[in-house]
Amino acid sequence: MADAHATVLDIPRAETTTETGRRAGDLAQFTELLTRHWDSAYRYAYHLAGNAPDAQDLVQQAAEEALRAYRRFDPNTHFDRWLLRIIHNSYIDKVRRERRRPMFSLDEIRTPLTDTDQTHDPEAAAEFRLSGPALRALMALPPEFRAPVILVDLEGFSYDGAAQVLHCPVGTVRSRLHRGRLALREWLRPHLDALRSGDG
Amino acid sequence: MTEAHPSDVLSGYLDAALSPQQAAEVAAHLAECESCRAVLGDLQSVRAVLRAVPRPSPHPALLPRMLARLAAGRQREAFLVRWGVTVAVMAAAAIAILFLPLAPRPSAAHNGTRYFRQHAEMTQTLPIPDVSLPSYLSTPLPYHPAVDEVREWR
Ligand SMILES: [Zn+2]
């Protein structure tokens, strides 16, 4: 009877110890993965948000969320795709919540970005702190077209990888990437022509 | 041949992301279509420009700060799981200590007479034959302070 009593008392304690140990192991593993993919996660957040402070908030918030959800992460899959997907979802939620960034239609963004367009909102331009016309044009793309461009062209993801981050079919990545590049081509045409006529 | 420009798959062709058959079809079209070759050239330039975009680095303190915060959060969680009951009891005790002095109570001088009075009331309303006065006085009475009652005894 005393033994039974002791067992009843011991089981939860043993479980607690194992649980604590497992959580510590999780944290160590998570820390390693997060460290390995931190720069890439930050860059994705930066190119989505368009500025460093928002990128920092985004990536920190995503890291916290990722740790909370870490038990659901399948270790046989890509941690970076999983983490970037969390960042992406946070960003889209934020955009929808704030509705600060206007959503364009593709027809609207086909309008070439002239010098007057670039300077008509100097506040926003300064806020984004983006260097070069390519980044300005990139930031003018709506998020659903910008995201595949960032992932494939800036971060070097495969179409498959981008599809996993964006949680959409590969065909969608392919067509959105293509339409994003076509829009950028229109906006960057003067720069591209200069690039081609000069020696690069 | 030039009627069906494979415009939607030119990026896929550029990135070698098409099936071999699809890629062969696009290649055959490109050989004969100057406008598609021009688009492909543009797409290639756009891709080159994008690939050359400077890569921003996170502030070097950001990751260490983040990891410290995550570890602290986990420690706090573990602490709360292990000491949850203790913390709850301590919180309850703290609340009791904070609010006990505010609870109305009779002054010490009236405690004795109060016991007799309460005993008299109790035995009248709930007659319990075997409750003797000594045993009654030796055990603390359940006392539920009621504001009006206390005022009466002050
Ligand atoms: Zn053609």
Side-chain angles (χ1 to χ4, degrees):
Chain A
M1 206 57 192
D3 281 352
H5 193 77
T7 313
V8 166
L9 286 178
D10 279 350
I11 284 172
R13 190 170 297 175
E15 273 179 356
T16 305
T17 310
T18 315
E19 172 69 12
T20 308
R22 206 179 59 73
R23 288 168 80 86
D26 274 2
L27 181 63
Q29 215 173 55
F30 180 83
T31 296
E32 194 196 319
L33 288 168
L34 185 68
T35 303
R36 199 186 307 161
H37 299 290
W38 183 249
D39 284 12
S40 153
Y42 175 81
R43 283 196 306 269
Y44 188 56
Y46 181 92
H47 287 127
L48 280 181
N51 67 81
D54 282 354
Q56 287 176 6
D57 286 351
L58 204 56
V59 77
Q60 289 182 96
Q61 187 191 330
E64 279 171 356
E65 201 179 321
L67 179 59
R68 279 198 298 273
Y70 189 54
R71 283 178 194 194
R72 277 174 276 145
F73 170 67
D74 176 358
N76 297 314
T77 61
H78 296 81
F79 181 81
D80 57 342
R81 297 178 190 178
W82 185 70
L83 181 62
L84 263 58
R85 191 166 140 192
I86 294 175
I87 292 174
H88 185 85
N89 291 342
S90 300
Y91 174 72
I92 295 299
D93 284 350
K94 187 172 178 279
V95 167
R96 283 183 187 149
R97 236 184 2 253
E98 295 181 356
R99 295 189 184 282
R100 240 174 49 184
R101 198 179 303 280
M103 293 291 187
F104 309 92
S105 80
L106 252 199
D107 291 330
E108 283 173 73
I109 66 159
R110 284 219 170 95
T111 315
L113 201 67
T114 63
D115 281 347
T116 44
D117 284 331
Q118 283 171 25
T119 50
H120 109 274
D121 193 357
E123 287 285 316
E127 188 196 7
F128 291 157
R129 280 193 226 157
L130 293 172
S131 60
L135 276 178
R136 275 203 303 275
L138 185 68
M139 285 313 297
L141 277 179
E144 62 265 43
F145 297 95
R146 180 155 32 107
V149 172
I150 297 169
L151 290 169
V152 174
D153 286 340
L154 273 66
E155 292 302 317
F157 275 82
S158 65
Y159 285 23
D160 274 339
Q164 279 182 25
V165 173
L166 302 174
H167 199 46
C168 68
V170 176
T172 307
V173 169
R174 196 176 68 185
S175 69
R176 288 189 177 174
L177 172 69
H178 181 64
R179 293 172 73 189
R181 280 176 179 168
L182 285 180
L184 293 174
R185 173 183 72 145
E186 294 309 314
W187 295 342
L188 296 173
R189 187 171 288 290
H191 303 279
L192 297 180
D193 290 345
L195 195 76
R196 217 168 296 159
S197 62
D199 50 7
Chain B
M1 189 51 125
T2 48
E3 277 172 359
H5 299 289
S7 15
D8 286 353
V9 292
L10 283 179
S11 275
Y13 179 79
L14 179 66
D15 295 326
L18 301 182
S19 69
Q21 193 203 333
Q22 220 173 358
E25 281 168 18
V26 174
H29 177 89
L30 284 168
E32 295 184 17
C33 178
E34 200 189 330
S35 80
C36 278
R37 280 202 301 275
V39 174
L40 186 69
D42 282 349
L43 290 171
Q44 197 162 12
S45 302
V46 168
R47 192 178 68 173
V49 166
L50 290 169
R51 283 180 176 178
V53 157
R55 301 163 69 109
S57 293
H59 190 284
L62 191 62
L63 179 62
R65 207 170 61 191
M66 183 77 238
L67 293 178
R69 205 163 76 191
L70 292 178
R74 270 293 154 98
Q75 262 176 358
R76 203 161 46 236
E77 270 174 40
F79 177 84
L80 285 177
V81 166
R82 195 177 298 170
W83 298 105
V85 176
T86 316
V87 168
V89 168
M90 283 169 71
I95 288 165
I97 288 165
L98 276 173
F99 288 97
L100 211 60
L102 301 179
R105 66 179 70 184
S107 67
H110 293 298
N111 272 354
T113 43
R114 178 178 172 74
Y115 275 6
F116 286 107
R117 198 187 108 122
Q118 212 173 39
H119 178 243
E121 281 170 358
M122 274 182 72
T123 47
Q124 239 176 10
T125 50
L126 294 161
I128 309 164
D130 57 349
V131 172
S132 62
L133 189 59
S135 75
Y136 183 69
L137 289 174
S138 67
T139 52
L141 277 183
Y143 168 53
H144 306 288
V147 176
D148 289 340
E149 218 174 6
V150 172
R151 277 197 192 129
E152 190 190 323
W153 280 90
R154 262 179 186 160

